[in-house]
Amino acid sequence: MDKKEEIMQAAIHLFSKKGYSATSVQEIANDCRISKGTLYNFFDSKEELLIQVIRHNQRKMLQQAENISLDSTLPPKEKLIQKLVVQFDGIRENKDYMSMLLTALPPHDNPKISLLMKRIRISMMNWYKDCFIEAYGNKVKPYIWDLTLMLQGTLKEYISLIFRDHKELDFESVARFVIERLDTMIHHTSDAEPVLTPWKMEEYEAYKADLETKTPEEQINQLLEELEKKVKKLALYEEEKEEYILAMQSLQKEIYEKKPKIFLIKSLLLFLAQEEECQPLVHRIEIFLNTLQTT
């Protein structure tokens, strides 16, 4: 185990036992037998350490589960079941991490932590969705988000029973039972109308979480840069193009204000969306801004 991994494991243990707020950087350093200064060579702050811990464990769990996809001997439904089992095994092997997630995280008024947790939730929803499609193909696509929500919600409650209430449950039996029930539903809902239509879940489809995450500022910068390039390439008369460029500049200025005027941003995006070539990027910016407002 390298030093960075050792620091993260010590942080998980202390956060789970004492809580995030009650644990000091000095205590984590002491647990690793290093100075606080050495710890800061790896992590800029306690908050950054927590963020790296969550990202690292999420990536690790998904990578382990994805290895099941490489086993060509398993039927598609069995692959789905085994992915869930591997996911749970990863959680069970790191009980302190699960305890930290369930009980010891800082209040959700911390914007960086709130955004990261939302990104992870969206990432997991997309992961479950992709697992379903891999197992069942196009037949589940019309109501894929309803199935995804039912699976994630059901597994979450089983996991909570195991970790919060200390129920002795065999998770392979749980995974098999849940997937068999959903399998029955899948084969008898061909005429069902979905509740969670793609347009209702567009935020989740457009905002797949990248756990090698960029900051919100970096993400919006990238989107605005792409839109600016698109505007400058519009095939318009010079005077008309100048209006779009000015609108783009006004949009950038307003978004970076400390207290941006939402009505003005919406008006500028609406103006820019008049050009069909700009519409996809405008839509992505709208979804991203809506996501930030709800975190």
Side-chain angles (χ1 to χ4, degrees), residues 125 128-129 132 144-153:
M125 286 281 281
Y128 285 125
K129 183 194 77 168
F132 262 126
I144 186 62
W145 286 113
D146 294 286
L147 288 170
T148 298
L149 192 69
M150 284 187 275
L151 175 62
Q152 187 179 39

Side-chain angles (χ1 to χ4, degrees), residues 9 17 24 27 31 75 81 101 103 122 146-147 156 166 177 189 211 224 233 251 272 289:
Q9 289 302 322
K17 298 302 179 189
S24 69
E27 286 175 300
D31 198 67
I81 291 169
L101 287 182
T103 63
I122 292 172
D146 294 286
L147 288 170
K156 181 180 177 183
H166 309 291
F177 177 83
T189 53
L211 296 178
L224 290 172
K233 291 180 180 178
L251 176 65
L272 291 165
L289 293 175

Side-chain angles (χ1 to χ4, degrees), residues 48-90:
E48 179 62 23
L49 171 55
L50 175 62
I51 288 170
Q52 290 294 333
V53 161
I54 295 170
R55 287 180 191 158
H56 173 76
N57 281 274
Q58 191 73 4
R59 283 198 306 271
K60 186 176 175 183
M61 183 275 293
L62 290 176
Q63 286 165 0
Q64 289 171 339
E66 280 308 303
N67 289 335
I68 300 295
S69 294
L70 302 177
D71 188 347
S72 59
T73 65
L74 293 175
K77 188 169 75 175
E78 188 62 27
K79 280 187 182 180
L80 173 57
I81 291 169
Q82 292 306 318
K83 281 184 179 183
L84 300 180
V85 173
V86 169
Q87 177 196 11
F88 176 74
D89 284 343

Side-chain angles (χ1 to χ4, degrees), residues 191-234:
D191 59 345
E193 287 293 324
V195 175
L196 300 177
T197 56
W199 70 266
K200 285 181 180 175
M201 297 300 289
E202 62 182 357
E203 173 190 348
Y204 280 67
E205 295 195 341
Y207 190 68
K208 274 195 175 185
D210 172 10
L211 296 178
E212 299 290 345
T213 183
K214 297 176 180 177
T215 65
E217 291 79 10
E218 288 170 333
Q219 292 177 68
I220 195 64
N221 283 346
Q222 182 177 336
L223 288 170
L224 290 172
E225 284 173 11
E226 290 179 34
L227 183 57
E228 185 178 26
K229 289 177 184 176
K230 188 72 70 176
V231 166
K232 288 180 177 178
K233 291 180 180 178
L234 290 174

Side-chain angles (χ1 to χ4, degrees), residues 168-263:
E168 292 292 332
L169 301 176
D170 174 56
F171 201 77
E172 181 160 359
S173 298
V174 171
R176 198 167 295 281
F177 177 83
V178 172
I179 294 302
E180 290 293 349
R181 305 290 75 74
L182 290 171
D183 184 79
T184 301
M185 290 179 60
I186 287 167
H187 291 296
H188 292 84
T189 53
S190 58
D191 59 345
E193 287 293 324
V195 175
L196 300 177
T197 56
W199 70 266
K200 285 181 180 175
M201 297 300 289
E202 62 182 357
E203 173 190 348
Y204 280 67
E205 295 195 341
Y207 190 68
K208 274 195 175 185
D210 172 10
L211 296 178
E212 299 290 345
T213 183
K214 297 176 180 177
T215 65
E217 291 79 10
E218 288 170 333
Q219 292 177 68
I220 195 64
N221 283 346
Q222 182 177 336
L223 288 170
L224 290 172
E225 284 173 11
E226 290 179 34
L227 183 57
E228 185 178 26
K229 289 177 184 176
K230 188 72 70 176
V231 166
K232 288 180 177 178
K233 291 180 180 178
L234 290 174
L236 299 171
Y237 290 113
E238 199 60 38
E239 187 176 330
E240 192 175 2
K241 182 185 281 193
E242 186 63 26
E243 289 182 2
Y244 278 85
I245 290 172
L246 287 172
M248 187 68 227
Q249 291 171 348
S250 298
L251 176 65
Q252 290 169 315
K253 182 176 182 297
E254 193 60 37
I255 281 177
Y256 295 131
E257 291 288 343
K258 286 185 179 179
K259 293 184 178 180
K261 299 181 180 68
I262 301 303
F263 76 89

